[in-house]
Amino acid sequence: MHTSPADAPGSGDAGGMNVVERHQAEALAVLGHRVELITRRASPDAPDRLELAPGIILRHVTAGPPHPVAKSAQDAWIPQFREGLAVLGPYDLFHSHHWMSGVAALPVARHWKVPHVQSFHSVAALPDSSLAEGEAPESAARITGEAQVAQNSDLVVAISAAESQTAIQRCGADPDRVVIVPPGVDSQLFHPAQLEATRWSWPGASAGTSSTGYVVFAARLQPLKGPDLALEALAQVPERLRPHLVLAGDVSADHHGYRRELDQLVERLGLSGGVSFVGPQERGRLAWLLRGARLVLVPSHSETFGLIALEAAASGVPVLASDAGGLREVVVDGETGRLLSSRDPRRWGAALTELVSQPDVLARMGTAARARSLGFDWNRAGQRLSALYTEVIDQLPQRRDDAADGLSLRRDDSGRI
């Protein structure tokens, strides 16, 4: 369920965007709304229409080849995606969850005279930014497209204060039309391990391993997420204390050679046998993997929120994360985990060593993290979105410009969206 005109839904990625959209849709459906999620067809077998749950329909629109396309090349299919949207409605409101979806849907919303709501989840790295190092070049249209949808949508819904500031400062959104709706976490799926649970291991672990446990990195394998820093930090930990590192996530089409670079780094650092690449994990398996971990590493250069950090917290597992973006809103430094502003592997290694050598500190942080995570609730997020949608529809915003798609809602007989 991905509203960008590029990725297939249900890709199994550990990243946050599909999770956020799916849970938002489910929370809205519980409130009685009818939701249609629209994505680009990324498989020839993808049906035109699929009921995901009562009140939630997934639609696949043909735009470009029916297979996954590198994100840096996806914007070539925006016009076709827009044409596919135009024959589906009309809807009462569009909520786009990526700049490309927004550029596709905004003109359609304007033509139908219905509101357009925009969320980003990530924004382009500036050309001279450290975030751009090692990353595939941004689409030439992205920075312009992000500004277009930020400035001309009727409402921008940010997932964090960090994303809100970015939408305003970098993309030019009107502060009066930017709101924050924090995500939730499935606290039943992501829960702490029971004290009497059997010994935890990672996929593919051999019997007798894991005397020092394991730590988890869960994200797409790309430079922005910092798996190289996770490896370099691990190499700084004394062998007698060194946990196994499990990396869960896939390599995107934009970084097809990156896994080979990471394998070479593992060899150079002398970590062979101490690292496992387990690929993308379905949600239940990811939850199981997290709650057995001693610690979760989130060394990203930037995160608009850091949903994996919240899921780790719900699992009763502390997080060692970058002091960047929305991670500051998830991790309470010194209480539910640690935040590091440096990207020096020695600093990360020292922090990792300090934490794994103090199981009582990890246990205390895990308990605090679980308690804090319960304040993030998907039902509350759905209620907030519902109120915002109703308000923006009733106001019938005056601004009308160019741009485009994603999450779309239809009003039922009772007047609900």
Side-chain angles (χ1 to χ4, degrees):
M1 173 204 74
H2 197 291
T3 57
S4 151
D7 279 336
S11 62
D13 173 35
M17 193 188 305
N18 290 353
V19 174
V20 171
E21 295 168 35
R22 178 65 182 258
H23 279 286
Q24 285 180 350
E26 290 173 348
L28 288 164
V30 166
L31 294 173
H33 304 312
R34 286 185 286 173
V35 183
E36 293 195 4
L37 299 154
I38 307 168
T39 188
R40 192 188 75 84
R41 190 187 312 278
S43 165
D45 301 324
D48 291 341
R49 182 182 186 279
L50 177 67
E51 184 175 5
L52 298 179
I56 306 175
I57 301 297
L58 172 65
R59 292 188 182 274
H60 290 102
V61 170
T62 299
H67 57 69
V69 176
K71 187 168 288 188
S72 57
Q74 291 173 6
D75 60 307
W77 312 114
I78 290 176
Q80 286 188 26
F81 192 70
R82 180 184 299 134
E83 292 171 4
L85 286 176
V87 300
L88 291 181
Y91 300 103
D92 289 308
L93 176 143
F94 280 100
H95 186 165
S96 300
H97 284 266
H98 191 268
W99 76 270
M100 284 183 281
S101 300
V103 170
L106 186 54
V108 180
R110 293 299 176 254
H111 178 72
W112 291 344
K113 295 183 171 55
V114 299
H116 180 266
V117 176
Q118 181 68 42
S119 293
F120 289 101
H121 301 281
S122 69
V123 296
L126 295 177
D128 59 351
S129 167
S130 63
L131 304 187
E133 295 177 7
E135 286 293 294
E138 296 284 2
S139 159
R142 181 169 182 176
I143 293 176
T144 300
E146 287 175 342
Q148 181 183 11
V149 294
Q151 295 169 25
N152 297 301
S153 294
D154 301 300
L155 192 67
V156 173
V157 174
I159 202 170
S160 65
E163 186 183 11
S164 170
Q165 292 168 3
T166 300
I168 294 167
Q169 297 170 3
R170 286 266 304 279
C171 304
D174 181 348
D176 291 336
R177 291 186 292 110
V178 179
V179 296
I180 301 170
V181 180
V185 65
D186 185 340
S187 57
Q188 292 186 323
L189 176 61
F190 294 94
H191 62 81
Q194 300 300 316
L195 293 177
E196 67 275 12
T198 56
R199 177 175 154 125
W200 297 90
S201 62
W202 55 93
S206 59
T209 60
S210 172
S211 62
T212 54
Y214 67 94
V215 296
V216 170
F217 169 96
R220 279 193 182 274
L221 300 181
Q222 60 189 68
L224 183 66
K225 299 296 185 180
D228 56 328
L229 181 53
L231 291 167
E232 290 168 345
L234 185 72
Q236 300 290 322
V237 180
E239 280 194 57
R240 63 183 178 80
L241 294 173
R242 186 182 298 160
H244 196 91
L245 173 60
V246 179
L247 296 101
D250 206 355
V251 179
S252 67
D254 283 311
H255 302 279
H256 59 276
Y258 191 54
R259 169 61 193 276
R260 184 170 59 254
E261 294 179 28
L262 294 176
D263 287 338
Q264 292 169 351
L265 181 59
V266 169
E267 291 291 331
R268 276 202 314 274
L269 294 171
L271 293 175
S272 298
V275 174
S276 295
F277 292 88
V278 299
Q281 303 290 299
E282 57 87 20
R283 303 293 289 162
R285 185 65 173 177
L286 176 63
W288 183 89
L289 187 64
L290 290 180
R291 63 177 167 264
R294 302 189 66 193
L295 198 65
V296 171
L297 307 182
V298 189
S300 303
H301 285 269
S302 179
E303 289 284 352
T304 54
F305 185 78
L307 193 61
I308 189 66
L310 179 58
E311 290 168 344
S315 304
V317 177
V319 173
L320 178 60
S322 301
D323 186 9
L327 289 167
R328 301 184 184 107
E329 300 168 50
V330 184
V331 181
V332 181
D333 188 33
E335 294 184 22
T336 68
R338 288 287 307 280
L339 293 172
L340 296 180
S341 56
S342 170
R343 298 196 67 77
D344 183 343
R346 292 170 299 181
R347 294 281 302 278
W348 277 75
L352 179 55
T353 300
E354 180 183 355
L355 288 169
V356 298
S357 65
Q358 300 181 80
D360 55 333
V361 172
L362 286 181
R364 185 174 69 247
M365 284 182 167
T367 299
R370 171 66 178 182
R372 177 171 167 75
S373 74
L374 297 179
F376 293 86
D377 182 74
W378 285 118
N379 290 331
R380 189 178 305 139
Q383 291 164 2
R384 176 68 171 137
L385 283 173
S386 179
L388 289 169
Y389 291 163
T390 300
E391 182 179 346
V392 79
I393 287 173
D394 290 343
Q395 286 178 349
L396 281 180
Q398 301 169 358
R399 303 187 56 157
R400 294 287 179 250
D401 235 312
D402 258 6
D405 159 277
L407 176 67
S408 40
L409 304 173
R410 210 190 280 273
R411 209 184 280 273
D412 65 20
D413 294 337
S414 69
R416 290 187 170 186
I417 303 168

